Amino acid sequence: MAEPLLSIENLSAGYGDIRVLWDISLAVQAGEITCIVGSNGAGKSTLLRTISGLVPANSGRIMFDGANIANMPPDRILATGIVHVPEGRRLFRGLSVRDNLLLGAYLRKDDTAVKRDLDYVFTLFPILQERWKQDATTLSGGEQQMCAIGRGIMSKPKLLMIDELSLGLAPRLVERLGEALLEINRTTGITILLVEQDVITAFEIARHGLIIETGRVSKTGTTEALSGDPAIRQAYLGV
Ligand SMILES: Nc1ncnc2c1ncn2[C@@H]1O[C@H](COP(=O)(O)OP(=O)(O)O)[C@@H](O)[C@H]1O
Ligand SMILES: [Mg+2]
């Protein structure tokens, strides 16, 4: 198998004296959709924040595209091609949908390609084009998630990390967003790392998965294999 795009080795991290992640090792293959699932408080968001440089790593390595990015400043990590769509979407109040999307491209100098990517986001999510002038924070929850994902695409990442795609959204919308992620992955080849509390949704979208329990990776495998695991079925799928 080819070298993974992202490979984490023995990572520990937390907040001040509070250790949250313990000896995390994982690999994300280029071009794939991988999910991280686990209960509330397991450390999923902390893991994404450590990858994107918002939480310091206490030990271990985060190898991305051939370089150790652990403890690099967040803007440099973004420049290496990792974008983080945070839990709760965090769009900028007072800025239009279009300006929120363009903020994702602030490091880019290739104006023609930026315009093309904006058109791509509008094709992917036509509602954003209809609402382009509207304050992004007045969109519905599902539309805000589309805008946050769109903003991520606008930075032309190699790795798109999404924290809680489905949070607070109706099942129909979650399905629509899942289809959009599959389409993004298929048409642009962007590697996707999806964090989800909704395990059924995550397993439908992703090909590979890992389970985090109290800050440790407890299982990894294809989502097909994980869905067939009796312990996982009982703990996370309720069957
Ligand atoms: N800013 C913070 N300061 C201190 N502890 C935090 C902070 N954010 C999260 N935690 C703690 O880290 C643990 C993991 O949280 P989190 O990564 O948000 O889990 P998840 O995303 O899996 O629900 C929890 O015990 C939580 O209370
Ligand atoms: Mg979280």
Side-chain angles (χ1 to χ4, degrees), residues 193-226:
L193 183 57
L194 176 65
V195 158
E196 259 298 330
Q197 259 185 71
D198 176 353
V199 181
I200 294 176
T201 293
F203 283 6
E204 272 170 12
I205 301 171
R207 182 126 75 117
H208 295 277
L210 45 129
I211 298 188
I212 297 200
E213 284 174 27
T214 54
R216 289 185 167 83
V217 177
S218 63
K219 279 199 171 134
T220 62
T222 63
T223 48
E224 197 184 350
L226 293 172

Side-chain angles (χ1 to χ4, degrees), residues 32-185:
E32 301 270 356
I33 304 181
T34 301
C35 66
I36 299 176
V37 300
S39 321
N40 195 12
K44 305 179 297 297
S45 296
T46 302
L47 176 56
L48 293 197
R49 285 188 208 121
T50 311
I51 297 170
S52 59
L54 301 171
V55 166
N58 298 124
S59 59
R61 299 206 302 169
I62 304 174
M63 300 300 296
F64 180 71
D65 210 14
N68 185 6
I69 60 160
N71 294 320
M72 272 188 189
D75 58 330
R76 276 192 60 203
I77 293 175
L78 177 63
T80 66
I82 298 183
V83 85
H84 180 174
V85 176
E87 193 171 334
R89 294 114 208 187
R90 307 274 175 82
L91 299 172
F92 291 97
R93 190 179 302 276
L95 287 187
S96 68
V97 167
R98 185 171 180 276
D99 288 344
N100 264 279
L101 292 171
L102 287 173
L103 262 184
Y106 82 99
L107 287 175
R108 295 175 62 181
K109 307 269 183 282
D110 49 343
D111 292 350
T112 316
V114 168
K115 175 72 182 59
R116 197 172 54 229
D117 288 346
L118 187 63
D119 288 341
Y120 172 69
V121 171
F122 284 153
T123 313
L124 199 61
F125 302 122
I127 190 74
L128 297 182
Q129 184 157 33
E130 281 171 36
R131 303 274 165 98
W132 71 273
K133 282 186 190 166
Q134 188 174 324
D135 184 317
T137 59
T138 65
L139 295 172
S140 73
E143 291 159 2
Q144 289 197 33
Q145 190 64 292
M146 292 172 192
C147 191
I149 292 168
R151 184 176 61 184
I153 293 173
M154 291 304 296
S155 77
K156 210 173 167 53
K158 295 186 184 113
L159 176 65
L160 175 65
M161 306 194 296
I162 303 174
D163 196 352
E164 304 291 3
L165 180 76
S166 74
L167 197 70
L169 303 180
R172 184 179 50 80
L173 270 169
V174 175
E175 198 173 312
R176 168 81 186 78
L177 287 165
E179 283 163 7
L181 290 191
L182 289 166
E183 187 176 335
I184 293 163
N185 175 254

